[in-house]
């Protein structure tokens, strides 16, 4: 059995400009975690989730010792990129904790307006999401956590952000983009990461 490391990879959402998870990264570093903000290239999702998840795999391989597991925290599309890595690229063997924040696990209405591969994959009822969700219980070994807000007008319906397994937290954050910046959300993420090390 691999040891659990304090390495945490933070995976941002679509169109991220490099700021959405910096506050969370600093808070986790202050708590003793080795937190890394992963910058994905073509983060519009233009080339699809597979392309982005390969970048995540490369980062896990570079940052996490082969003899230990790490944790993944994905915001919005970042949670789906994480799932593609976990479920399709063998990431389950490298990760002991998976947390998603406002991720469209069952798609979002707005993805239908993105006329390229990533948009098609994140649409409600897409074959891509159906495939991931058909094997969703394989995530159980990562003690998954989903964090969401009922005020989300980016993930529509907002209930798409809730995984049917693991812990689920709702916070009254008014905007989708504020979720990873919210102090209570950050505190919940930190608490779950600490609990996972016990």
């Amino acid at each position: 059995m691999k040891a659990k490391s304090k390495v945490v990879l933070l995976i941002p959402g679509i169109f991220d400009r490099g700021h959405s998870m910096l506050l969370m990264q600093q808070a986790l570093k202050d708590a003793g975690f080795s937190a890394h903000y992963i910058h994905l290239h073509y983060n519009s999702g233009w080339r699809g989730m597979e392309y982005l998840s390969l970048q995540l795999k490369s980062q896990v391989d570079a940052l996490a010792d082969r003899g230990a597991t790490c944790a993944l925290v994905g915001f919005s599309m970042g949670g789906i990129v994480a799932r593609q890595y976990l479920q399709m690229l063998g990431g389950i063997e490298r990760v002991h904790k998976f947390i998603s924040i406002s991720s469209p696990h069952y798609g979002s209405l707005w993805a239908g307006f993105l006329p390229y591969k990533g948009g098609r994959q994140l649409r409600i009822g897409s074959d891509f999401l159906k495939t991931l969700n058909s094997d969703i219980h394989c995530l159980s070994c990562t003690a998954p956590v989903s964090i969401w807000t009922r005020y989300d007008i980016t993930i529509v319906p907002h209930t798409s952000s809730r995984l049917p397994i693991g812990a689920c937290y709702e916070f009254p954050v008014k905007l989708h983009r504020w979720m990873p910046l919210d102090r209570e959300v950050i505190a919940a993420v930190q608490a779950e990461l600490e609990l996972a090390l016990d």
Side-chain angles (χ1 to χ4, degrees), residues 147-151 169-174 179 182 184-189:
I147 298 174
W148 67 290
T149 174
R150 68 180 60 242
Y151 302 109
Y169 298 96
E170 178 189 357
F171 292 96
V173 180
K174 301 302 182 185
M179 285 293 282
D182 184 82
E184 290 188 21
V185 170
I186 292 172
V189 168

Side-chain angles (χ1 to χ4, degrees), residues 6-17:
K6 284 196 164 186
V7 173
V8 182
L9 280 71
L10 305 175
I11 311 142
I14 197 168
F15 306 129
D16 182 79
R17 295 182 179 179

Side-chain angles (χ1 to χ4, degrees), residues 27-137:
L28 293 177
K29 283 184 175 181
D30 291 345
F33 289 94
S34 177
H36 304 270
Y37 192 164
I38 304 304
H39 294 274
L40 301 174
H41 298 289
Y42 300 105
N43 65 1
S44 64
W46 182 267
R47 296 191 179 182
M49 301 303 107
E50 299 89 347
Y51 181 78
L52 297 174
S53 66
L54 285 171
Q55 293 179 50
L56 175 57
K57 181 181 186 301
S58 177
Q59 291 296 315
V60 171
D61 291 344
L63 296 169
D65 187 90
R66 293 296 297 183
T69 58
C70 65
L72 301 181
V73 180
F75 168 53
S76 196
M77 182 184 73
I80 307 304
V81 173
R83 285 188 58 189
Q84 171 69 13
Y85 164 66
L86 289 167
Q87 296 179 243
M88 300 298 177
L89 296 179
I92 289 288
E93 299 298 320
R94 304 294 317 276
V95 174
H96 65 262
K97 187 68 176 180
F98 168 52
I99 300 175
S100 67
I101 303 170
S102 293
S103 296
H105 298 293
Y106 293 89
S108 176
L109 176 68
W110 297 114
F113 294 92
L114 302 176
Y116 49 80
K117 185 175 182 179
R120 291 191 295 272
Q121 289 178 323
L122 298 178
R123 291 172 186 171
I124 296 169
S126 74
D127 289 341
F128 173 80
L129 289 175
K130 284 180 180 177
T131 298
L132 284 184
N133 290 328
S134 69
D135 192 30
I136 200 166
H137 289 282

